[in-house]
Amino acid sequence: MPDDIVPTTTAPKPAPLDKKAYKSDQEVRWCPGCGDYSILNAVQQLLAQLGVPRHQLCFVSGIGCSSRFPYYMNTYGLHSIHGRAPAFATAIKTANPELQVWIATGDGDGLSIGGNHMLHLLRRNIDVKVLLFNNQIYGLTKGQYSPTSPPGLKTKTSPMGSVDRAVDPIRFALGCGATFIARTIDTHQKHMLAVLEAAAKHKGTAFVEIFQNCVIFNDGCFDEVIERSVRDDKTVDLIPGKPLVYGKQLDKGIKIDAAEARVVAPAEATSWDPSTRSAAAAFVLSEMAEQPGSPTPIGIFRSIQSPTFDEGMNKQVQAAVAKRGPGKLQDLIWSGDKWDVK
Amino acid sequence: MPDDIVPTTTAPKPAPLDKKAYKSDQEVRWCPGCGDYSILNAVQQLLAQLGVPRHQLCFVSGIGCSSRFPYYMNTYGLHSIHGRAPAFATAIKTANPELQVWIATGDGDGLSIGGNHMLHLLRRNIDVKVLLFNNQIYGLTKGQYSPTSPPGLKTKTSPMGSVDRAVDPIRFALGCGATFIARTIDTHQKHMLAVLEAAAKHKGTAFVEIFQNCVIFNDGCFDEVIERSVRDDKTVDLIPGKPLVYGKQLDKGIKIDAAEARVVAPAEATSWDPSTRSAAAAFVLSEMAEQPGSPTPIGIFRSIQSPTFDEGMNKQVQAAVAKRGPGKLQDLIWSGDKWDVK
Amino acid sequence: MPQSTSELPLQLIDSVVIRFAGDSGDGMQITGSQFTHTAALFGNDLATFPDFPAEIRAPAGTQPGVSGFQIRFASSDIHTPGDAPDVLVAMNPAALAVNIKDLKPGGIVIVNTGQFGDSDLAKARLTSNPLKDHSLDAYRVIEIDINKRVIEALAGSTLSPKEVQRCKNFYTLGLMYWLYNRDMEPTLKWLAEKFAKEPAMVEANQKALRAGFNAGDIQELFQGRFEVPKCDVLPPGTYRNIMGNQALSMGLVAGAELAGLKIFIGSYPITPASPILESLAGYKQFGVLSMQAEDEIAAVCAAIGGSYAGHLGVTSTSGPGLALKQEGIGLAIAIELPLVIVNVQRGGPSTGLPTKTEQADLLQAIFGRNSEAWLPVIACATPSDSFDCAVEACRIAVQYMTPVILLSDGYIANGSEPWRLPKLEELKSFPARFRTEVENFLPYDRNADLARPWVKPGTVGLEHRVGGLEKAHLTGHISYDAENHEFMVNMRAAKVMKVRDSIPTPKVEGPARGEVLLLGWGSTYGSIWGAQEMLAEQGIEVARMHLRHVWPLPHGLDEIFARYKTVLVPEMNLGQLVRVLRGEFPQRNFVSYPKVQGLPFRVHELVAKVKSLLGR
Amino acid sequence: MPQSTSELPLQLIDSVVIRFAGDSGDGMQITGSQFTHTAALFGNDLATFPDFPAEIRAPAGTQPGVSGFQIRFASSDIHTPGDAPDVLVAMNPAALAVNIKDLKPGGIVIVNTGQFGDSDLAKARLTSNPLKDHSLDAYRVIEIDINKRVIEALAGSTLSPKEVQRCKNFYTLGLMYWLYNRDMEPTLKWLAEKFAKEPAMVEANQKALRAGFNAGDIQELFQGRFEVPKCDVLPPGTYRNIMGNQALSMGLVAGAELAGLKIFIGSYPITPASPILESLAGYKQFGVLSMQAEDEIAAVCAAIGGSYAGHLGVTSTSGPGLALKQEGIGLAIAIELPLVIVNVQRGGPSTGLPTKTEQADLLQAIFGRNSEAWLPVIACATPSDSFDCAVEACRIAVQYMTPVILLSDGYIANGSEPWRLPKLEELKSFPARFRTEVENFLPYDRNADLARPWVKPGTVGLEHRVGGLEKAHLTGHISYDAENHEFMVNMRAAKVMKVRDSIPTPKVEGPARGEVLLLGWGSTYGSIWGAQEMLAEQGIEVARMHLRHVWPLPHGLDEIFARYKTVLVPEMNLGQLVRVLRGEFPQRNFVSYPKVQGLPFRVHELVAKVKSLLGR
Ligand SMILES: Cc1ncc(C[n+]2csc(CCOP(=O)(O)OP(=O)(O)O)c2C)c(N)n1
Ligand SMILES: Cc1ncc(C[n+]2csc(CCOP(=O)(O)OP(=O)(O)O)c2C)c(N)n1
Ligand code: SF4
Ligand code: SF4
Ligand SMILES: [Mg+2]
Ligand SMILES: [Mg+2]
């Protein structure tokens, strides 16, 4: 047996870091004005705030403008293939549980080609954080519609308007049984930081949809909701334990009732609890924006505790070792019924 | 231009058919006692009832025991590759809108390898009917756990119990925005017939989960719910317009309230409407079985009208022809700026 | 139609190569395309080669962010966009640094000095200013502060300063029009149409264009002007300029029409193949059903479903996408349905160099599926040849009930050249026949081409089932029988080999026997032809031949190969065709000349290789 | 340890081939395995060949539903499960009809007449009863109503009539034990363990076994009994019987241990590869992390993720699954991480013949990815060789930081043979080295093997990014540079070719030069060896050689091939290795001998082929 193997590095004592430390030496290659910049900024700031050592971080992505993210983080990073980041991340976290693993993905990468892996990541509840950059378009391939594009959108591949119904990432994640689901906005740094912090602290898959502006191919696609002048009236922030109130003057509230959510006076608003056994209230909220006159919920839709796959896997290994003793090659090979030839 | 092309057959006058007419001449190769037989039987009976001409039917499947279905139907049939039936079916229906297209798939085929195509089929609302044979196991590959297997299930690939959280097909379909969602039971022919009839008549993707018993690798996995002696007490049938009552004596009801569903007296039961704008009530019901003491809903969870992709596509073609005239090859080739060389 | 009455001498030349280079935001692709458009309308022969980064707007001023467009236009029949530019237009230091090494010695380099500040040099990671360090001494450097000139020209415009700067490329274009004595009209018209909804933009860009043109006259930047006369040596006919992806898309529509079918295209965007899906999505008046699928697997499966339903199934992709489609293609082979799989090759492996060209998917196309899963593979030689190849792919698919892989590459896809428009009468139809006769119907019966019958679901009385399990000969029932399996494996292969009976032996150009046969496939066509011509000029006669059908290989090749001491095969890969050839013609002598730089072969490289082979 | 004191003569013979055949529900696989187990413990050399339908329980009594298990056991060193059975056990008419043509002329056929009613004949689609129509006249037919015998034997049992009938196979087994004078003990013990929780089952099956055994004695069915002595000519050592998938799984665990790594296997079930995932899922005490992924793509990506994280990534599949993994494998090539991809080949194309064997994924393994994406490919020769090959695949993957494809096939995977157990000291370790030194760290630097450093994420100071875009030499930064790309393409290929420096030239067995070299790879090993022996018996000396490393090919082959007039290559495909060989050794003379029937070569077929080649 080889015992001359170089050991893995043992627990390090990291120096405290500032935001800049998380910037890699690579030139950022996004278009000027792209919403991706502010997401990168928020993540770097958050990690500095939380003081996560760089070497314990791993960013995994697929392909797309958004998926270039790992190159710009001075951490471990894997820019993989289109749509498959969840599969890589699942293994990385399971094989190396001490890492904090983040996925950067786009609406095309994560919900078109990668929809299946996203489903299985969410249901398995791998302890990774997902940043879904939703710009309702394929950026890197120069402007085709995506699964989140609104029906009717005219793009290069839908010159007469898309006939696809859009998928709602939040509802999809709920349907997949995700344990943490949130939504935030590229231009709303404060909100993004708060949501990302909650995501970072969640144990299990934290799924965060980020409204992200593609200045080149779908500029302003969220403006009706997120434009600064209307944002407070057009969004409602889901803050655990807080009433669902919104509006510039916090003059409106949301009441969830009989499997419907409706706009009410602030005093009547439901106090938000994303950790109920049932995800139904979150589901109701996820549908709300489609009702005329209702705000778009942002913030934390869902946050529950549930066993994670990566931990489950490792526990089984420990249990097997505890029960059968650490596997010995000799025993393995020399198992079964044998006979001798002299 | 070729004008000597053999024309497609024009609208036929089909002779009325009986159930036997839908049976192909191929020997059915499922295990004796497999739940698949009763599904095959119900489908054949339904089609005879509805009098759908055989040549207008097309059954598409992936790979798995359940996916052998098309071979046993004396209609058009395509036994394709693992997980991809939705993609084939989408094109078949779009290119040949007069066909009634059915998909036969398994929990592995449709929700493991094929989860992404299922998502996109459901959101695009292709006018096809999906029969999801859920036996919570991989049958054809001899008994590995599937995405619907309960956590902890011991199978060949999970000797210490599966650590995967299960996906709930109904909730998944809701999250994907499906327009028709139902559940039925292999051993409950009457119910299955009613549900399949509603599915057949739905315009858009009709998603039907069928609890199906695999006698060889997962025998009795649904017995707690569907065994004849407990079935009436352990299931509640979602019948549009009918109150949600259940129990052998119809002595119990379900009330949906404040985004929760609870057991009440029959008189208080909610009258079921699967066609509300919001899918939240269906979502609430889809979670209910997990509550101890609550019945498992079967029947129609969701049934709404929404444009179908196949129709949308064909309408665009018609609109383009109407606007630009039928495409002429000459015009296409001789378009753009030209010059002559003498 | 020379527009200017400049006093400067007008020098007639046969061929010019210009390369425009700048930031990805500088509009170099538009500049190049407009110059191309004008040259085409003027009647030059031409060839273009755009070259851009994988990012949408790579960081301004950096070397990886440089976007280039090379055009060669000529009065003679040319075959490539040229080995080395005569003129380089460099909009910033990065563009200069990246491209200068390619410029012909003594060539003209036009530099926008307005972008040569210290920070610009730093962005380009240059430690010294090439305008000052004598590194450009070997060239004729023309320095213009285009930034400033554009501001002056557009003084009083309502556009923002940023928008004004975006007109720089048209200033540059104007200057080039002056230098080569070109008509501005086509571009003025194009601008008017393109920005029809933004009159201020039309005006500003037109002004910039004119200002650039006038600058040539007024500012005495150049010692002379050049004129490249019309090309009259092309075969007579009506021409238009066409890009490879465009021609290929049109060819698919034409192929379907010639078969009497409608297209169902299932596709997933990927560089450099996306424009094919985009074009077909715009051809709905031809009955094209275009589906942007959720991924490549769904795309190919949908295309097969389209064929199953009675349409002509098409799917388009690039290398990594082809890998994903292979399982589905295997099914199409097993159920024997027509299908056209377009693969526009790009640099790899993996994501590789997505905007660069390569020919390294040949073996994946021929062999990259499980088991013995044979299909015909054909390859486009030039942008306009893509039309004919697409028609041919449709023909083979329909006639033989088989998937066909059609290979293009980034160089062909984005490049352009004049296309002699075919007359409809020249296009031979190959009508698809759908079986409707009920009597004696056997789903796996075969005709003389070994093709099985195609039945549209919906046809009364022909209900049957197909699928990927091995099928019994004739009946198509599931069969695990050993002999039947071997029979079917051989039958499927034989059907593919049968395609040879319907294709010609390619013509040899040049000596019928001798030392060297230059053998090409795909986009090496032009470079090889150019090399043959250049060698001939140097007194070295070599033969050349080009393969459109790369699998199965046409009849008659062995006899041809036998007549040359060496068959030299230049490929933008590590020698993939050579492997195929050695497998088929073990007695012949093939020499591989690989180049894997994401760039096409230069004529000079080929010439040098042939000479070294001949010991000259 | 002969158990019976039968009066009948005991005839010594060297080797016997028995085929058990019945419905998929008849337990033929268990019967065969038990006979195998007993023969192994007795000390025979042996080889087995199970053959079953793609359905779990195909319809009872039908020909497609027949499941078979062939075993050859011998006192000499044998290499195949035999061309033709000496004894056929046919549990019903379908089993008889499907298998009788393979039986040796004059062979024994044991027929269960209890299953030969009219309806049974009809299910098997037989129009006449073979027991009556003289079609079996060439064989020695033993008729027994096994249905009835079992009922009699189990009279009084608490089992249901259906359960009683399920004991038929043990009755049959007992009869065979008697005929070949075998000890029933191992099977009695196995039954006791297997049904520990169902004592009634233990008793019934044991009774049935004994009843079958006794029937031999009592019922005078046979004229004599046979004895196949122990095989003493095998190399000395401790042996166990092993199936290919089992050996391969153990080899992976051993390979990981020898590298000092833990395994991460990401896999998706598929016949005939599923047992590998299943075995590894049971080896958790070795630290194996086993993930049943949602599909093959996720499986390979997870395996790569495992390697990225510092485990040994493994994924296992069969043909269609390999096609799906190719894009991911391309990434592993680009980011240069160790990875073992096991591909257990099966009949194709598409779903094909999922439970039958084939060798037709060779070209897909070597070439089936986009662009120039090279990797080493090795192939198992026999069930026990799968252990060594798995270790070797791990070694190459770790030493060269590369994905490796390990090819097995259905014949090897499900077949079994005695395995001489290696001593731990015989296994050479190849410790993986994880880089931890921060100084001078360059992610794409290389060692003498051209391997780049492997860094476990979590290591302080070595944070870096990898991905599928082309990487600059040394730094690993994204690079679209033309020369760097060519350099890297060549470097990756060179690294794969470098594997040759660590592998031996395979040994030639037989004459060092001459007319014919029989060259094999994969599971043709035994048949070729058998053919060589049979030819030698007939006075024809031919050489043979076997390739474990099919890509890159070992050093020294050309010199060897040059020494033979013909290199004859039998393959269960249409000549895939021959294509590879011609590409590499254009001067040598390769003759392909293809067989694509979902079945291994028979020794006789090879012998006939060689003779016809030699004109004998
Ligand atoms: C297998 C494969 N298919 C297709 C592509 C081409 N491709 C690259 S990125 C992309 C979509 C990007 O969209 P999204 O994920 O929304 O990211 P964005 O660029 O908008 O951030 C596509 C289709 C690819 N790289 N690989
Ligand atoms: C690409 C591919 N991967 C894997 C397989 C093997 N396979 C065949 S069926 C199946 C799963 C079947 O499970 P399910 O869909 O639940 O169908 P069931 O047999 O239970 O009806 C698998 C993994 C395959 N045929 N093709
Ligand atoms: S194309 Fe859009 S998403 Fe991509 S970098 Fe540019 S602005 Fe951002
Ligand atoms: S294995 Fe299970 S699902 Fe498959 S046919 Fe048998 S009983 Fe049915
Ligand atoms: Mg996007
Ligand atoms: Mg199943």
Side-chain angles (χ1 to χ4, degrees), chain A residues 5 8-9 12 26 55 70-71 75-77 79 88 91 95-96 117 124 313 316 324 327 334-335 337-341, chain D residues 37 40 236-240 260 282 284-286 290 294 302 309 422 456-460 463-467 471 477:
Chain A
I5 297 157
T8 333
T9 337
Q26 295 301 293
H55 67 278
Y71 287 119
T75 62
Y76 286 95
H79 176 227
F88 292 96
N96 206 331
H117 310 301
R124 289 196 187 108
M313 268 296 184
Q316 287 198 343
R324 301 173 218 160
W334 288 66
S335 62
D337 289 316
K338 296 176 286 291
W339 71 95
D340 289 322
V341 175
Chain D
H37 182 61
T238 300
Y239 284 77
R240 61 167 290 184
K284 293 199 203 300
Q285 69 274 26
F286 288 90
S290 76
E294 55 270 27
K456 236 185 235 181
T459 309
V460 183
E463 298 82 2
H464 67 287
R465 276 66 54 195
V466 295
K471 295 284 170 280
H477 292 156

Side-chain angles (χ1 to χ4, degrees), chain D residues 183-222:
Chain D
D183 188 359
M184 286 189 288
E185 233 10 89
T187 297
L188 292 169
K189 197 178 133 208
W190 179 86
L191 280 167
E193 281 165 15
K194 167 92 180 171
F195 297 106
K197 287 183 193 148
E198 297 162 282
M201 290 291 275
V202 176
E203 203 201 319
N205 280 306
Q206 291 186 341
K207 260 194 187 161
L209 184 77
R210 289 204 179 92
F213 195 98
N214 294 337
D217 256 1
I218 303 159
Q219 296 178 9
E220 305 193 357
L221 294 165
F222 302 94

Side-chain angles (χ1 to χ4, degrees), chain B residues 3-221:
Chain B
D3 48 12
D4 51 343
I5 297 156
V6 180
T8 333
T9 338
T10 45
K13 196 100 207 114
L17 295 161
D18 79 351
K19 189 176 128 182
K20 261 191 238 137
Y22 293 93
K23 293 199 167 135
S24 79
D25 59 351
Q26 294 301 292
E27 213 132 14
V28 183
R29 299 192 189 181
W30 289 315
C31 306
C34 175
D36 293 357
Y37 284 98
S38 55
I39 303 173
L40 179 63
N41 184 57
V43 169
Q44 288 168 340
Q45 184 163 333
L46 173 73
L47 294 172
Q49 258 173 41
L50 299 178
V52 192
R54 290 194 292 110
H55 67 278
Q56 284 177 1
L57 282 162
C58 185
F59 282 81
V60 184
S61 67
I63 302 287
C65 295
S66 34
S67 287
R68 294 293 180 93
F69 200 94
Y71 288 118
Y72 310 136
M73 295 295 302
N74 192 4
T75 63
Y76 286 95
L78 173 58
H79 177 228
S80 74
I81 48 176
H82 196 31
R84 322 298 177 185
F88 292 96
T90 295
I92 292 170
K93 179 68 193 179
T94 304
N96 206 332
E98 277 163 36
L99 296 174
Q100 187 179 109
V101 179
W102 293 72
I103 292 174
T105 184
D107 43 327
D109 190 65
L111 292 172
S112 191
I113 192 169
N116 200 33
H117 311 300
M118 191 60 79
L119 153 61
H120 292 280
L121 178 83
L122 295 175
R123 79 173 177 92
R124 290 197 186 107
N125 198 29
I126 315 293
D127 188 16
V128 305
K129 323 296 144 212
V130 181
L131 305 169
L132 186 114
F133 294 51
N134 185 4
N135 55 13
Q136 301 190 340
I137 201 85
Y138 286 5
L140 192 61
T141 47
K142 306 196 174 171
Q144 300 83 9
Y145 64 102
S146 91
T148 58
S149 298
L153 189 74
K154 288 190 183 170
T155 67
K156 285 188 182 157
T157 46
S158 58
M160 297 175 75
S162 158
V163 299
D164 284 26
R165 292 161 81 233
V167 62
D168 178 84
I170 301 290
R171 236 170 296 158
F172 171 73
L174 284 165
C176 297
T179 58
F180 183 100
I181 304 171
R183 178 187 280 153
T184 187
I185 297 170
D186 59 355
T187 51
H188 199 340
Q189 282 284 313
K190 216 180 102 195
H191 189 264
M192 187 156 37
L193 265 172
V195 163
L196 294 185
E197 180 170 352
K201 292 182 172 165
H202 176 73
K203 178 140 181 222
T205 312
F207 178 87
V208 183
E209 178 194 10
I210 308 175
F211 286 170
Q212 175 249 322
N213 195 35
C214 170
V215 288
I216 305 291
F217 298 113
N218 208 13
D219 197 20
C221 65

Side-chain angles (χ1 to χ4, degrees), chain A residues 63-66 82 106-109 135 137 139-141, chain C residues 268-269 296, chain D residues 327:
Chain A
I63 303 286
C65 295
S66 34
H82 196 31
D107 42 326
D109 190 66
N135 55 12
I137 201 83
L140 191 61
T141 47
Chain C
Y268 188 70
E296 281 85 355
Chain D
E327 193 209 1

Side-chain angles (χ1 to χ4, degrees), chain A residues 29-37 64-66 135 137-140 142 212-218, chain C residues 56-57:
Chain A
R29 299 192 189 180
W30 289 314
C31 306
C34 176
D36 293 357
Y37 285 97
C65 295
S66 34
N135 55 12
I137 201 83
Y138 286 4
L140 191 61
K142 306 198 175 170
Q212 174 248 325
N213 196 34
C214 169
V215 288
I216 304 290
F217 297 113
N218 208 14
Chain C
I56 303 306
R57 299 272 184 278

